Amino acid sequence: MPQRTPPASPVRTVILCVLALAAALSPVRAADTLASAATAPRIALVLSGGGARGLAQIGVLKALEEAGIRPSVVAGNSMGAVIAALYASGYSPDSIAQMCTTVDWDEFFQNAAERRSLLVSQKAEPVDYLLEIRFGNDFRPILPSSISHGQAFFDFFSPKLAAAQYRAGMNFDSLPIPLRIVATDIVSGHPVVFSHGDLATIVRASSGVPLAFSPVKIDSMLLIDGGITANIPVEAARQCSPDYVVAVDVTSPLWPEKNLDNPLRIADQIVNIGIIRQKAVQRGLADFVIEPDLGGFLNTKFARVDSLIERGYQAARLVVDSLTNDIARKLGTRMVDSGSAALPRVSPPIRWIGTDPDMAQALDSAIARMWTDFPDGIPLVEFRRAVDEQLDRLARGIVRIENIAPGMPASLVKLRTATVHKISISGNSRTSPGLVRRLLGFGQGDTLSAESISAATSALYATNLFESVNLEIDPADVVRVRLREKHYLRVRGGLRFDEFHLLEGYAEPAYENLFGWGTCASLHLQYGLRREKYAIDMVANQPFTRFLVSTVRLQGYIARELLRREEIMEPESDTVEAQFTLQEMSVRKAGVIALIGTEIGRAALLQGGARIEQFKVQRSEASVFDDPLRQYRHGIRMLFLRMIIDNTDAFPFPTMGQKHYFRLSGAHNAIGGTESFLRLDGKMSAFFTFARRHTLSPRAQFCWSQNVLPDVERLFLGGALPQEKYEDLGVFDYASFYGLPARAWPGDVVGLGGLDYRFRVGKDLYLLAGVDWGYAWAADEFAFDRRTAQRFIDKAPVGVGVGVVWNTPVGPIRFQWGRILADHGLFDELKIKNENQFYLSAGHDF
C-alpha cells in the first residue's frame, strides 16, 4: 500500500506561513509608486515666498490640477514652503484653501499661549504687560532677536503634517509628492535644501522672516527665511532631475518710501533688495513662469485671503493651455496625468493586516467606488492617497501603510499604527523631565494621534516655561519632544490711568522656574497717586496628569488706598454761605494669604485657604512703610473656599465662553481677629458672539453677609473700573455700575444684574453699551422677606452707559459715559448726586 506523507507539525506550519507572508509583503517604496511612465513628463513645481501674496499659489495649484497637471516634485520657500508642505503631504488645494481662510494669520506673530489651554490660575496673569526684560544667568539683559518665537507654526503644522511625515519615515521623497524646502543658514550665508527631517521645524525655519521670527537651530546651522538666498527655489527643484520646471512668482516689489514707517518693513526692504538681484537668475532657470497679477496686495496683509487665491486661480487658468503646449513642444510627448500612468496596481480583494475588522470594512467601503474607475486595478499612488485620507478621517491614531503586496488571489496590505516606543526629551536644561512627561498625556505603549500631539504641545507651551515646543515621531516610533527654554529671570512693568485712581505703575521682578518644576517667585511693586500695593508671591502648579493639577500659592502683601471726597454743606439760611469741605482718608492693610487647590481640566479651579490681615483707617497721605505692622488697629482671621470657572477665549475682549466666581468665607474674633462675619459672594458672566462682530454678555453679581462688614470687606457699587490681577490684595472690592461714581454705594448685601453689548468696528476698535440694575443693603437692614424684595423692585436704580475702547499696543483706552435713568428718590437718602458720569482708563490692567 502506498506510503502516506506524515502530517506537518504545528510549529513547522506556522514558520512556513510566516516565511510566505514575509515574501509576499515585499515593501513598495513611495518613490516607486510616484515614478512616472515613460510617456509622462516629470514636472517640478516651484512655489516662491511672498508673505500674504504667497497664498495666491493655492489657486494656481487648483487650476493646474483641474488641467490634469500634477507635479512629480514640489519645492517651496517661506510661504511657498507652507503651501508646498501641505500639498506634498496629500492635502488638496481646496483643503489648503479652507485652512488658510479660517486661520488667524496675525496670531502667528503672538508668543502668548492660547488662553483656553492655560490653567485657570494662569488666566489671571497679565499677558499684555507694557514691558518685559529677561536676564541671563549672569544677570545681563537678553535682547530679543525677534517679535515672535514662532510657536504658532508648530501648533498649526505639527498635527496636520504628523501622519504624512510618519508614513514617509521623515523622508521627503516618500511623501505623496516628493518635496524640497529651502532655508538660509545665517552662519555660512548659504541656502540649505532639505529633503528629510521634521516637516514642521523645517517649514518654520524656511518662514523665519528676519526680526519677525527668531532663527531656528538645526545641528550647527542657524536658519532663517530661505527667500534671502533663493526666493524662487528653482535650483533646489533642478536637483531632483525633472524634465520640466514650472515656477510661480508672487514675490513682492520694493516698498515705496511712504510705507517705510516701521522696523519690520525697513528690514523687509533690505531683504528684498537682495532678493530682487537673484530673482531674475532663478526665473531664468525655469521652463515656465506663472506670475499672478497681485497689484494692491501687500505681503503683510492677510485680510483678503479669498481674493488672493482667486487671483492665483485665474492667472493659472489663463496660461494653462500655453503651459501644456510648451511641455509637449519641449519634451516631444503629450500630457499624461501621472496619477493614471502605467504604474503597479492593486487588485481586489484586499486583505488588511494589522487592523481590526471594523477599520478593514471602513477601508473597503472607502475604495469600493474606485474599482469602477480602475477596472484593471488601482494605481498604487491613487490607492495610497485614498487609504491615507480614510485613515485620517477615521482618526484612530496615526496609521501608515507599511507594506503592499499586489497580486492574486488577493492583494495584501499591512498597516502600522504609531505606538509610542520611547519618549525622548531635549532642550530642558532646567525643567524637570518628570513635569514634561506628566503634561504629555501619553506614555510608552500608547497610540499616538494628531489630536494627542496637538494637546500635548498646547499643554507644554501653556506652562509659559518655553519659547517653543514641538513634538515629532520618527519611523522607530520614538516621540521626540523638542523644547527651547526661556530665560527665567525677568522683570515686567506697566503704566495705567483711570479717573478714580489716577496714574499708577508697577514693576515685577520674578524667577519663573524654581526647582525645575515651574514654581514662580515674584515681587510686585505698585505705586500710584492714590493706591499702592507691594506683594511677595510664590505660585506652584504641580501636574498629576494633563487634566489634574494641584496649585499652591503663598502671598504676603501691604496695600494702601487714598480716598478723597468732596462735600458741599448747604446753608441753613440765606445769610450763611455754603461750605465746601474736602475729606481725605487713607486705608492701609497688610497680611498673608495661603491657598491650596486643584485645577480640573483647563476651566475649573477649586481652592481653599486662609488669610491673616491687619488694617487701619486714618487721615493721612503717608507711605505704607511709615506705619509698622504693630500699629494696625483691626485684624481679620479668615478661612475661605472658592470655585473659579473660566473657559473664555480671550482677555480683555472675549467672544465666547463663561466666567464664574463663587466664594464662601468666614472670620471670627475668637481666633485672634477683631472682626466676625460669614460671607457668600459670587460673580457670573457669559459671552455670546454672532455675525462675528456683535458680542452680548449677561452678568450677575451678589454678596451676602450675616454681619455688618468692615469697609475692607464690603462691596462698593459704582464706576467702570476694570478687573485687576491683584484684586485679592486690593484694599476695596469694587463692582462696576453705570451712572454711579466709583465706590459710591457700599453694601454688606448686594444684588446686581447687567447686560453688556460690544460691537467690533475694526480689528482693535469697539463700541460699548450696557445696562445695570442693582441694590445694596447694610446687613442689619436686610432680611429674606417680601418687604425686601418689594424695596428692590421699587427702589433699585437702573443705570445705562455707552462708550468706545481702542485696544492699542500699550493697552486698552476706554472712554465711557453713564447715567442713572431713575433713582426713585433713593440717592437723596444716600447723598449721591444723580448726574452724568464719565469714565476714562488707559493701559493694561494690573
Side-chain angles (χ1 to χ4, degrees):
M1 52 186 304
Q3 290 185 332
R4 291 175 175 261
T5 302
S9 69
V11 174
R12 182 185 178 194
T13 301
V14 171
I15 293 174
L16 290 174
C17 290
V18 170
L19 291 175
L21 180 60
L25 287 177
S26 57
V28 178
R29 295 180 301 136
D32 296 334
T33 69
L34 294 172
S36 301
T39 57
R42 283 180 49 80
I43 298 173
L45 180 63
V46 177
L47 305 181
S48 76
R53 292 162 59 98
L55 297 172
Q57 296 172 120
I58 301 171
V60 174
L61 290 175
K62 182 177 180 181
L64 294 180
E65 280 207 350
E66 289 178 355
I69 302 174
R70 187 176 183 85
S72 300
V73 62
V74 59
N77 156 74
S78 197
M79 181 58 79
V82 170
I83 298 166
L86 292 169
Y87 187 56
S89 297
Y91 289 98
S92 68
D94 286 337
S95 297
I96 300 172
Q98 184 178 11
M99 293 179 199
C100 293
T101 52
T102 54
V103 69
D104 185 348
W105 289 96
D106 291 333
E107 289 185 356
F108 277 67
F109 296 91
Q110 302 296 323
N111 286 319
E114 182 184 4
R115 193 170 193 273
R116 288 193 169 187
S117 67
L118 298 174
L119 298 171
V120 175
S121 58
Q122 294 174 305
K123 292 176 181 178
E125 298 292 323
V127 294
D128 289 325
Y129 35 82
L130 184 60
L131 176 69
E132 179 182 80
I133 301 175
R134 291 191 174 266
F135 298 85
N137 294 331
D138 56 359
F139 297 100
R140 291 185 179 181
I142 305 298
L143 298 178
S145 61
S146 61
I147 294 175
S148 172
H149 302 301
Q151 179 61 32
F153 277 91
F154 297 121
D155 294 340
F156 181 76
F157 283 105
S158 291
K160 292 178 173 59
L161 301 178
Q165 179 167 288
Y166 179 69
R167 292 162 189 157
M170 305 183 79
N171 180 0
F172 295 178
D173 283 332
S174 297
L175 290 167
I177 302 174
L179 172 69
R180 295 293 183 270
I181 293 177
V182 180
T184 300
D185 178 16
I186 58 174
V187 176
S188 66
H190 296 149
V192 182
V193 180
F194 287 94
S195 60
H196 64 277
D198 178 63
L199 260 176
T201 301
I202 293 168
V203 169
R204 161 69 180 86
S206 180
S207 305
V209 179
L211 293 186
F213 297 107
S214 58
V216 174
K217 187 173 180 60
I218 298 180
D219 298 328
S220 61
M221 299 177 294
L222 201 58
L223 302 167
I224 59 172
D225 197 324
I228 294 176
T229 50
N231 205 27
I232 309 176
V234 178
E235 283 185 305
R238 285 289 183 192
Q239 294 176 11
C240 300
S241 302
D243 300 315
Y244 193 92
V245 177
V246 180
V248 185
D249 182 2
V250 291
T251 57
S252 302
L254 292 175
W255 290 97
E257 181 181 356
K258 65 179 182 180
N259 292 122
L260 295 173
D261 54 0
N262 63 65
L264 279 181
R265 288 185 177 176
I266 292 173
D268 187 50
Q269 186 84 326
I270 295 171
V271 171
N272 279 340
I273 291 172
I275 288 175
I276 288 175
R277 293 178 180 273
Q278 45 91 354
K279 184 172 74 170
V281 176
Q282 295 288 336
R283 285 176 58 119
L285 295 174
D287 295 292
F288 197 94
V289 178
I290 300 174
E291 187 173 7
D293 179 10
L294 300 179
F297 289 90
L298 302 179
N299 62 355
T300 56
K301 298 296 183 182
F302 291 87
R304 297 187 288 167
V305 175
D306 288 329
S307 299
L308 281 164
I309 295 173
E310 181 63 22
R311 287 283 185 95
Y313 176 73
Q314 295 299 336
R317 285 193 60 187
L318 288 173
V319 300
V320 71
D321 289 338
S322 299
L323 173 60
T324 304
N325 294 333
D326 193 59
I327 294 173
R329 179 178 61 81
K330 290 185 177 180
L331 301 181
T333 181
R334 63 187 181 86
M335 281 297 302
V336 179
D337 184 0
S338 61
S340 60
L343 302 173
R345 296 173 180 269
V346 179
S347 302
I350 297 174
R351 289 181 55 193
W352 305 95
I353 300 173
T355 187
D356 57 75
D358 290 339
M359 180 177 281
Q361 183 177 358
L363 292 170
D364 282 331
S365 300
I367 64 172
R369 62 183 182 277
M370 300 181 69
W371 301 122
T372 303
D373 298 329
F374 301 100
D376 297 329
I378 303 174
L380 279 176
V381 64
E382 299 290 347
F383 179 80
R384 280 181 174 274
R385 185 178 295 113
V387 172
D388 288 347
E389 288 178 357
Q390 185 62 21
L391 290 173
D392 291 339
R393 190 175 296 114
L394 292 172
R396 296 185 186 179
I398 297 174
V399 186
R400 77 180 189 208
I401 300 174
E402 188 171 28
N403 299 103
I404 301 176
M408 299 297 290
S411 297
L412 303 180
V413 180
K414 184 178 180 181
L415 303 178
R416 178 173 177 173
T417 301
T419 304
V420 180
H421 173 67
K422 181 182 177 182
I423 296 174
S424 172
I425 303 171
S426 61
N428 58 319
S429 60
R430 179 68 180 174
T431 307
S432 166
L435 181 144
V436 176
R437 291 178 183 275
R438 291 181 185 182
L439 290 173
L440 287 176
F442 55 78
Q444 187 173 346
D446 291 336
T447 298
L448 200 64
S449 66
E451 290 75 14
S452 62
I453 290 176
S454 178
T457 302
S458 295
L460 285 169
Y461 191 65
T463 62
N464 290 321
L465 299 177
F466 310 106
E467 290 182 351
S468 64
V469 176
N470 187 36
L471 272 66
E472 60 187 61
I473 181 167
D474 67 16
D477 290 352
V478 176
V479 176
R480 303 189 185 277
V481 184
R482 311 280 191 185
L483 305 171
R484 183 177 176 181
E485 289 185 320
K486 291 182 178 180
H487 296 277
Y488 295 119
L489 182 61
R490 54 86 172 162
V491 175
R492 291 174 180 169
L495 292 170
R496 68 179 303 277
F497 173 88
D498 67 60
E499 85 289 344
F500 184 66
H501 294 117
L502 303 181
L503 183 66
E504 53 189 348
Y506 86 99
E508 188 180 88
Y511 190 85
E512 297 177 327
N513 196 7
L514 285 175
F515 319 118
W517 279 91
T519 300
C520 181
S522 63
L523 181 64
H524 184 83
L525 309 171
Q526 179 177 333
Y527 179 81
L529 298 177
R530 292 188 178 177
R531 181 168 58 172
E532 298 174 65
K533 294 179 189 176
Y534 306 96
I536 298 175
D537 194 7
M538 182 170 289
V539 183
N541 294 315
Q542 299 301 313
F544 297 109
T545 68
R546 189 197 305 157
F547 306 103
L548 187 63
V549 178
S550 68
T551 178
V552 178
R553 187 165 204 154
L554 183 65
Q555 292 176 324
Y557 60 92
I558 300 173
R560 178 186 76 97
E561 188 157 339
L562 180 66
L563 301 175
R564 292 182 176 180
R565 182 176 179 182
E566 298 177 357
E567 186 174 349
I568 298 177
M569 305 296 294
E570 296 295 337
E572 297 180 358
S573 67
D574 295 338
T575 60
V576 180
E577 295 182 356
Q579 294 183 352
F580 173 81
T581 62
L582 177 64
Q583 295 184 351
E584 190 173 277
M585 180 177 66
S586 176
V587 180
R588 312 180 188 187
K589 69 178 187 178
V592 176
I593 297 178
L595 290 166
I596 186 169
T598 300
E599 307 240 6
I600 305 168
R602 300 280 155 162
L605 168 63
L606 178 63
Q607 285 182 316
R611 186 171 80 187
I612 301 174
E613 182 176 281
Q614 296 293 121
F615 67 94
K616 70 177 296 186
V617 180
Q618 69 176 29
R619 297 177 183 275
S620 173
E621 294 184 1
S623 168
V624 295
F625 294 113
D626 294 340
D627 193 353
L629 295 180
R630 60 185 175 81
Q631 295 184 19
Y632 283 65
R633 302 290 186 248
H634 306 279
I636 295 175
R637 307 293 184 266
M638 176 195 294
L639 298 176
F640 60 89
L641 182 68
R642 69 183 183 185
M643 168 72 80
I644 303 173
I645 299 172
D646 185 351
N647 66 352
T648 53
D649 61 344
F651 181 83
F653 304 112
T655 61
M656 59 188 302
Q658 302 178 51
K659 188 173 183 180
H660 310 308
Y661 173 95
F662 304 98
R663 183 182 67 170
L664 176 64
S665 57
H668 202 280
N669 55 21
I671 54 177
T674 61
E675 309 295 327
S676 298
F677 58 83
L678 180 65
R679 179 182 176 185
L680 176 66
D681 57 304
K683 293 182 278 189
M684 296 156 284
S685 59
F687 299 87
F688 307 93
T689 297
F690 53 96
R692 302 182 67 176
R693 290 180 177 270
H694 307 272
T695 301
L696 282 177
S697 175
R699 52 186 169 80
Q701 185 169 354
F702 68 88
C703 175
W704 172 84
S705 175
Q706 188 180 30
N707 311 96
V708 175
L709 296 169
D711 276 353
V712 294
E713 288 295 320
R714 305 185 89 184
L715 183 60
F716 289 83
L717 300 184
L721 300 175
Q723 183 179 0
E724 304 163 338
K725 171 191 172 183
Y726 279 90
E727 59 182 342
D728 283 344
L729 312 185
V731 174
F732 297 110
D733 191 3
Y734 299 103
S736 298
F737 197 109
Y738 276 119
L740 287 176
R743 197 184 171 275
W745 190 4
D748 305 311
V749 181
V750 175
L752 175 64
L755 178 66
D756 292 327
Y757 167 74
R758 185 175 72 240
F759 174 71
R760 184 170 63 85
V761 179
K763 186 179 186 304
D764 295 309
L765 185 65
Y766 302 89
L767 298 180
L768 310 174
V771 58
D772 291 303
W773 185 38
Y775 199 91
W777 293 266
D780 52 8
E781 298 174 348
F782 179 84
F784 288 102
D785 57 22
R786 184 174 181 179
R787 185 176 62 180
T788 301
Q790 190 63 46
R791 181 169 179 80
F792 181 91
I793 295 172
D794 294 339
K795 292 286 188 177
V798 176
V800 296
V802 296
V804 60
V805 56
W806 180 26
N807 193 23
T808 72
V810 297
I813 299 176
R814 306 170 188 260
F815 181 74
Q816 296 166 273
W817 166 89
R819 183 66 189 252
I820 298 297
L821 292 182
D823 61 25
H824 309 289
L826 176 67
F827 287 2
D828 291 336
E829 302 175 20
L830 300 173
K831 297 182 179 180
I832 299 175
K833 291 183 179 181
N834 186 356
E835 57 188 9
N836 292 324
Q837 299 292 330
F838 296 94
Y839 313 107
L840 173 65
S841 66
H844 298 298
D845 303 329
F846 52 79

